[in-house]
Amino acid sequence: MYEEIGALSLLANCLNDQGDRISLLAVLKGMLFTVSDNALFHYKMQGFPISYTYLPNREEVFEQSLPVYMALEKIAEYARIIRQLPALSALIHIVEDLGLIPFAAVRSTGRARAGTLIKLLHVLQKDSMAVTCWPELCSYLLKMVEEARLECGDLFAGQQNAVRIMNLHKAKGLEAPVVFLACPCGESDHDASEHIDRSDIPARGYFSIIRRKGYQEEVIAHPPGWIELAERERLYMNAEKERLLYVAATRAKQLMIISRYPDRPAIDPWSSFESGLHEGMELFDATIAPVIPSLYDVVHDQKVDEAEIREWRSKLAEPTYRTASVTELAKSGTAQPPRPLKGRGMAFGSTVHRCIELLGSIATPGQLELQIQFIAEEEGMEESLIPDVKTMMEDVVNHPLWKRALRAKRKIHELPLRTIRTDITIEGATAKTLFLKGVIDFLFEEEDGWVVIDFKTDVYEDGQQQAFVDFYRPQVTAYVEELERAFGLKVKETGLYFLHGNEYVQL
């Protein structure tokens, strides 16, 4: 079962049960809305419940939380629609609004994905309860996904040359230029085990009770007058066979090819056509002449061949591209500054950066204090370092740079960068294509340009700060070059904020 149908059934279940928080969370994080954990965290930290039955004012929602709000707003709109429209009409509206069919069509095996979605809507249309009742439609969808019983469809079904295989019941109403009546076996003649009297209203049914012993059947009980009733049913069954044979005989527009089993006509379902086939031409089995490969008599020099293979393998082994971070590129070939024997680890740096980002959306460090413990546990930081994080957050808030940023026109935390460079030398080797990535810690816009800040948690002794400034300067310069080249931003100031000493160094 394709992912789109599973996501649609999950959304249907979420709309069917407003209190199902697990389904709602799965829908938010799933392929339909792709809400990040970070956005959910910020939305929850603002005190808003993750529910589409209650939505705050949009003006109250911070930028980091906005994806959650927009997804919940859309789900609330769908909840109103399923109360206003019949179930299937509401589902079709939701599928169209989400753009699910074109989205499926452009993915891998898109014809089958989109075609199966359309086929799903056709299948639901045949169920009268699912068409009108949303709980029934939801139940039908979930059952279909669990049992994976929906056959694959095609977006262009019937519009291309194809061989369609079906029984006579499915062939009713269809035509084709060429029709094959295949499988000339399996026909059987057996006594009726039931009879439906359709001559009166309501119809009345008669059934015999049969016990099977191996390949034999033993009648245990039957209603009075069963022999006459069984004969009536046999007449009806034979008439139904004739109706199906009529369907078989009238499907072809130009040519009909009938498979035969002349040695055993009793099991051949097409034996009734015998009288009309005398003038038909029998098709003979085609014979395919075997292809004789031509002799390969070219003489090769083994040493030359081996040398060519080595050269070929050597070329294939050369990387066609490389990935690197801006930090790697900037530090390439730069001497490391002196560092203490025991640092505070990468987990400490990650915790501090996440707390600073969160600080941008929370009024005071006091409100952040409740979250530091949670972030530290997530990053795997030692609990003994939490007081250091709290102290750094207080220093940041009271620093003139932070107060200056609060007055800025725009502020951006943790801005990811992705770009491509060509013919770049890194670690002594030249990369023809370099996929460059990085994250700018903090930047804010003032009237005359942007200010780019990189936060550092390095520990250093007196007199060592300049070594760290020289070491990190190429990294910040690379960020500025990319901002100006890719986004056309005017950067007026750059700096390093050393959290260990609460010092801001302008570059």
Side-chain angles (χ1 to χ4, degrees), residues 72 75-76 85 87 98 152 212 231 270 297 310 325 329-330 332 393 433 492 494:
L72 292 174
I75 296 173
L85 298 176
L98 288 170
C152 183
R212 184 179 295 276
E231 186 59 30
W270 319 124
D297 53 3
R310 282 195 298 270
S325 66
L329 180 62
S332 178
M393 295 305 103
T433 303
K492 70 165 190 176
T494 60

Side-chain angles (χ1 to χ4, degrees), residues 190-193 207-223 226:
H190 52 80
D191 294 331
S193 60
F207 304 90
S208 62
I209 301 175
I210 298 174
R211 178 169 57 195
R212 184 179 295 276
K213 291 184 176 180
Y215 294 100
Q216 303 296 321
E217 292 182 348
E218 177 185 0
V219 177
I220 297 176
H222 56 71
W226 175 247

Side-chain angles (χ1 to χ4, degrees), residues 128-390:
S128 58
M129 292 298 293
V131 167
T132 57
C133 177
W134 187 264
E136 288 292 334
L137 182 144
C138 177
S139 175
Y140 195 103
L141 268 177
L142 288 174
K143 186 176 181 181
M144 192 173 291
V145 170
E146 289 172 359
E147 297 179 0
R149 63 180 184 179
L150 182 65
E151 294 180 4
C152 183
D154 192 325
L155 184 59
F156 304 108
Q159 297 182 17
Q160 71 279 349
N161 295 326
V163 176
R164 291 177 289 174
I165 301 175
M166 59 185 70
N167 58 32
L168 292 178
H169 294 282
K170 289 187 176 181
K172 290 179 181 178
L174 302 178
E175 288 183 329
V178 180
V179 173
F180 291 83
L181 300 183
C183 193
C185 58
E187 180 69 8
S188 61
D189 185 23
H190 52 80
D191 294 331
S193 60
E194 60 185 45
H195 170 66
I196 309 297
D197 186 357
R198 304 168 182 85
S199 61
D200 199 2
I201 298 176
R204 179 172 297 184
Y206 302 87
F207 304 90
S208 62
I209 301 175
I210 298 174
R211 178 169 57 195
R212 184 179 295 276
K213 291 184 176 180
Y215 294 100
Q216 303 296 321
E217 292 182 348
E218 177 185 0
V219 177
I220 297 176
H222 56 71
W226 175 247
I227 295 178
E228 181 183 352
L229 295 173
E231 186 59 30
R232 290 184 195 170
E233 188 64 27
R234 177 184 289 274
L235 293 174
Y236 177 81
M237 291 164 59
N238 290 337
E240 180 64 19
K241 286 182 182 179
E242 291 181 2
R243 284 191 286 271
L244 288 175
L245 287 173
Y246 174 80
V247 172
T250 55
R251 297 309 94 193
K253 290 182 179 180
Q254 299 173 0
L255 176 66
M256 180 169 69
I257 300 171
I258 303 176
S259 301
R260 299 301 315 279
Y261 197 162
D263 295 339
R264 298 188 63 185
I267 66 170
D268 182 358
W270 319 124
S271 59
S272 299
F273 294 134
E274 174 67 31
S275 59
L277 294 179
H278 295 301
E279 298 180 1
M281 180 178 64
E282 183 176 354
L283 299 181
F284 296 97
D285 293 337
T287 56
I288 302 175
V291 177
I292 301 175
S294 57
L295 295 175
Y296 187 78
D297 53 3
V298 179
V299 178
H300 283 266
D301 187 324
Q302 184 175 353
K303 291 184 178 180
V304 173
D305 288 349
E306 289 177 353
E308 289 179 353
I309 291 172
R310 282 195 298 270
E311 183 181 358
W312 179 64
R313 286 179 176 174
S314 177
K315 289 181 178 179
L316 288 178
E318 294 178 3
T320 57
Y321 71 93
R322 179 172 177 178
T323 60
S325 66
V326 174
T327 306
E328 289 178 77
L329 180 62
K331 296 178 181 178
S332 178
T334 307
Q336 286 277 347
R339 298 184 183 275
L341 294 177
K342 185 177 181 182
R344 290 179 288 197
M346 293 181 62
F348 179 81
S350 299
T351 302
V352 169
H353 278 77
R354 285 183 59 183
C355 289
I356 292 174
E357 181 185 3
L358 194 56
L359 197 61
S361 59
I362 294 179
T364 65
Q367 293 175 306
L368 179 65
E369 187 172 349
L370 298 174
Q371 311 307 321
I372 293 178
Q373 179 78 33
F374 173 73
I375 295 174
E377 290 179 2
E378 264 198 352
E379 295 293 342
M381 189 188 79
E382 294 180 14
E383 191 174 352
S384 60
L385 296 174
I386 290 179
D388 293 347
V389 177
K390 292 179 181 179

